[in-house]
């Protein structure tokens, strides 16, 4: 097989074969497999990915920094149904992203998220209420949440803003965010495009 044969053709998804921690990771246009767990891309019902930077200050010792990269996909019910979960960490202040994490985030953004977003938008437009980010109910007229208790129509919601691993949702009547959703919550990464499509 020549080098040329291995190059991805236009429109094809490249293939990732690597190790994260002690387990093998394989991802392509059909599925993501990590260790013993595997999930076809077309069966994924939620995604979550985020970067976490932890600073540990200890008396009489130098401050330590650790960066964690998380990527999760799965089915509902969240936490009970099958999922593929990856976490890796490095000590020290790190801005560069590991290749495996960038690959999976791009794969999710290109293949999985457009399908999930289209499905959510269609369901809301047909009159259903969908849950996103773990606790936000989205319907034709706006959004609601039980804890904290929030109910807003589309006219009173600003476009959500991501910052430091969270998505912040602001209302027109408040300077403070009314909701802060961790990007690790199921489909929190879809809050921005979903609100944009419906509002």
């Amino acid at each position: 097989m020549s080098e040329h044969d291995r190059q991805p053709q236009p429109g094809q998804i490249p293939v990732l074969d690597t190790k994260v921690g002690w387990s093998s990771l394989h991802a392509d246009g059909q599925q993501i497999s990590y260790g013993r767990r595997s999930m076809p891309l077309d069966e994924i019902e939620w995604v979550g990915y985020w970067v976490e930077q932890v600073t540990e200050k200890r008396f009489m010792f130098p401050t330590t920094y650790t960066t964690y990269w998380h990527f999760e996909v799965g089915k509902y019910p969240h936490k009970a149904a099958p999922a593929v979960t990856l976490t890796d960490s490095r000590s020290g202040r790190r801005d560069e992203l590991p290749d495996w994490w960038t690959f999976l985030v791009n794969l999710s953004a290109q293949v999985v998220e457009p399908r999930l977003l289209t499905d959510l938008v269609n369901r809301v437009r047909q009159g259903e209420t969908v849950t996103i980010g773990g606790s936000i109910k989205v319907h034709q007229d706006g959004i609601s949440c039980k804890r904290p208790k929030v109910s807003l129509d589309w006219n009173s919601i600003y476009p959500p803003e991501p910052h430091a691993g969270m998505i912040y949702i602001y209302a027109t009547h408040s300077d403070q965010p009314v909701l802060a959703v961790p990007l690790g919550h199921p489909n929190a990464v879809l809050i921005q495009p979903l609100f944009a499509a419906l509002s």
Side-chain angles (χ1 to χ4, degrees), residues 129-193:
T129 297
V130 300
T131 303
I132 193 167
S135 59
I136 301 172
K137 307 279 185 206
V138 180
H139 47 86
Q140 282 177 328
D141 301 323
I143 66 166
S144 63
C145 185
K146 277 189 183 159
R147 283 200 310 243
K149 194 157 178 51
V150 172
S151 185
L152 297 166
D153 62 36
W154 291 119
N155 295 330
S156 55
I157 303 169
Y158 283 123
E161 293 175 14
H163 179 71
M166 306 283 279
I167 286 268
Y168 292 98
I169 298 168
Y170 291 86
T172 49
H173 62 264
S174 166
D175 293 340
Q176 297 299 315
V178 290
L179 289 170
V181 184
L183 279 173
H185 283 191
N187 287 341
V189 295
L190 295 174
I191 288 174
Q192 274 182 302

Side-chain angles (χ1 to χ4, degrees), residues 3-188:
E3 191 63 37
H4 176 75
D5 294 333
R6 268 189 250 124
Q7 295 301 319
Q9 301 305 307
Q12 279 191 338
I13 305 284
V15 173
L16 177 70
D17 264 313
T18 187
K19 272 202 148 128
V20 177
W22 300 106
S23 298
S24 296
L25 168 65
H26 176 89
D28 57 33
Q30 270 70 51
Q31 64 174 354
I32 297 172
S33 302
Y34 180 58
R36 294 182 178 172
R37 297 193 164 221
S38 180
M39 185 153 294
L41 300 188
D42 59 6
E43 289 183 19
I44 292 170
E45 295 175 356
W46 60 264
V47 298
Y49 47 82
W50 69 106
V51 179
E52 195 178 4
Q53 294 183 316
V54 178
T55 306
E56 203 175 327
K57 295 187 165 127
R58 296 175 299 169
F59 183 64
M60 302 280 290
F61 288 97
T63 299
T64 60
Y65 302 92
T66 310
T67 303
Y68 294 87
W69 298 280
H70 305 273
F71 183 89
E72 302 177 351
V73 292
K75 296 182 176 191
Y76 288 114
H78 185 240
K79 301 286 187 202
V84 176
T85 306
L86 289 93
T87 297
D88 197 17
S89 65
R90 294 274 185 281
S91 52
R93 289 178 184 237
R94 296 185 177 267
D95 292 329
E96 77 275 15
L97 297 166
D99 290 343
W100 69 264
W101 192 85
T102 305
F103 183 99
L104 291 178
V105 168
N106 287 338
L107 183 65
S108 177
Q110 288 169 16
V111 181
V112 181
E113 291 164 47
R115 173 178 61 77
L116 295 178
L117 181 63
T118 301
D119 178 57
L120 289 168
V121 170
N122 288 342
R123 283 166 58 193
V124 172
R125 287 190 175 145
Q126 286 162 11
E128 268 189 68
T129 297
V130 300
T131 303
I132 193 167
S135 59
I136 301 172
K137 307 279 185 206
V138 180
H139 47 86
Q140 282 177 328
D141 301 323
I143 66 166
S144 63
C145 185
K146 277 189 183 159
R147 283 200 310 243
K149 194 157 178 51
V150 172
S151 185
L152 297 166
D153 62 36
W154 291 119
N155 295 330
S156 55
I157 303 169
Y158 283 123
E161 293 175 14
H163 179 71
M166 306 283 279
I167 286 268
Y168 292 98
I169 298 168
Y170 291 86
T172 49
H173 62 264
S174 166
D175 293 340
Q176 297 299 315
V178 290
L179 289 170
V181 184
L183 279 173
H185 283 191
N187 287 341

